[in-house]
Amino acid sequence: DDHGPGTYTYPTDKVFEPGVFDLAAFNVSHDDKNLIFKFRLYGPINNVWGSGINLSVQTFDVYIDVDPGAGTGARLLLEGRNAALEPGYGWDYALWVEGWHQKVLKPDEKGKPVELPGSPLKVIVDAPNRQVTIRVPKDLFGKEVNPTRWAYVGVLLSQEGFPSPGVRRVRDVKPQAEQWRIGGGPDDTNHTRILDVAWPEGATPTQEEFLSRYRPSQEKNVDALTPDDFAQVPVLKP
């Protein structure tokens, strides 16, 4: 559901209509040339700020672990998500999609996200059907491409054109909702900014459980924290 760890509420501005951050479905598939991700929402997809791809308030992240369980790749999600993959998993590729940026990233040797040059993603926004499709060329992943053996995480956040320092363009969470701020956040510096996670209904732990299960910190420099200091997001496997 679109309340993060269970307490988050939408910003108060009218552009944040009910359901705009509520995932209805997340699908992973592939054809001969592409890996394909589809997000479907319960709420509307309105281009209220006039982006070139008809997407404004939402940010979609996808994390791909090509050797799940091997412990390679990066555990921390992109900057400002304040979440990590569970021990034993790590993303080898991340897709970052919002109205003004559509990028593929890889972690460097220190686990920091690095954008690949160009814009290899093709993003199709189908507003009438409340669906966003992301197509990634398979040749981007090298010669050993077997998506049925990979693991995935899909999350939905609120796009922010004026983010806090060190945050990759997603909206902050405050104790009380404001015009441009999500509400319901705890009084710590390492709570997540994720509003919804692609996670099966009825699965355990629940989204609310795993997004709220972390050690609260007052450390202002979140780069000083480790992946274990953030909420641990489980992966999906085909």
Side-chain angles (χ1 to χ4, degrees), residues 48-220:
V48 293
W49 297 318
S51 86
I53 65 167
N54 297 315
L55 183 67
S56 284
V57 302
Q58 296 95 352
T59 291
F60 300 91
D61 286 357
V62 178
Y63 300 89
I64 304 169
D65 185 348
V66 302
D67 52 359
T72 61
R75 287 182 58 204
L76 276 177
L77 305 191
L78 295 180
E79 303 95 325
R81 278 57 176 167
N82 287 6
L85 301 188
E86 294 179 324
Y89 297 92
W91 60 269
D92 302 287
Y93 298 89
L95 314 181
W96 169 43
V97 172
E98 48 128 288
W100 292 265
H101 298 270
Q102 305 90 45
K103 296 291 185 180
V104 180
L105 303 96
K106 291 187 69 174
D108 66 14
E109 64 278 359
K110 295 182 179 179
K112 299 296 184 182
V114 177
E115 294 181 10
L116 299 186
S119 297
L121 300 179
K122 182 176 182 181
V123 180
I124 303 166
V125 177
D126 180 0
N129 289 309
R130 301 179 174 185
Q131 183 167 279
V132 174
T133 301
I134 306 167
R135 302 175 70 90
V136 192
K138 280 184 174 179
D139 57 16
L140 186 79
F141 303 104
K143 295 181 179 180
E144 297 294 328
V145 179
N146 194 342
T148 61
R149 295 186 179 180
W150 297 353
Y152 306 91
V153 168
V155 301
L156 179 54
L157 307 101
S158 180
Q159 187 276 137
E160 170 62 270
F162 303 94
S164 294
V167 175
R168 188 181 288 266
R169 291 178 58 88
V170 291
R171 201 168 302 279
D172 287 351
V173 183
K174 300 294 185 182
Q176 299 294 325
E178 302 171 8
Q179 182 180 10
W180 306 114
R181 294 291 179 265
I182 299 161
D187 184 21
D188 58 48
T189 58
N190 58 332
H191 56 268
T192 188
R193 291 179 174 85
I194 294 171
L195 282 161
D196 207 357
V197 180
W199 190 241
E201 186 175 358
T204 55
T206 65
Q207 171 188 304
E208 293 79 7
E209 289 171 337
F210 63 71
L211 287 184
S212 60
R213 194 178 295 162
Y214 65 96
R215 295 190 296 266
S217 174
Q218 298 300 324
E219 174 60 61
K220 293 183 179 180

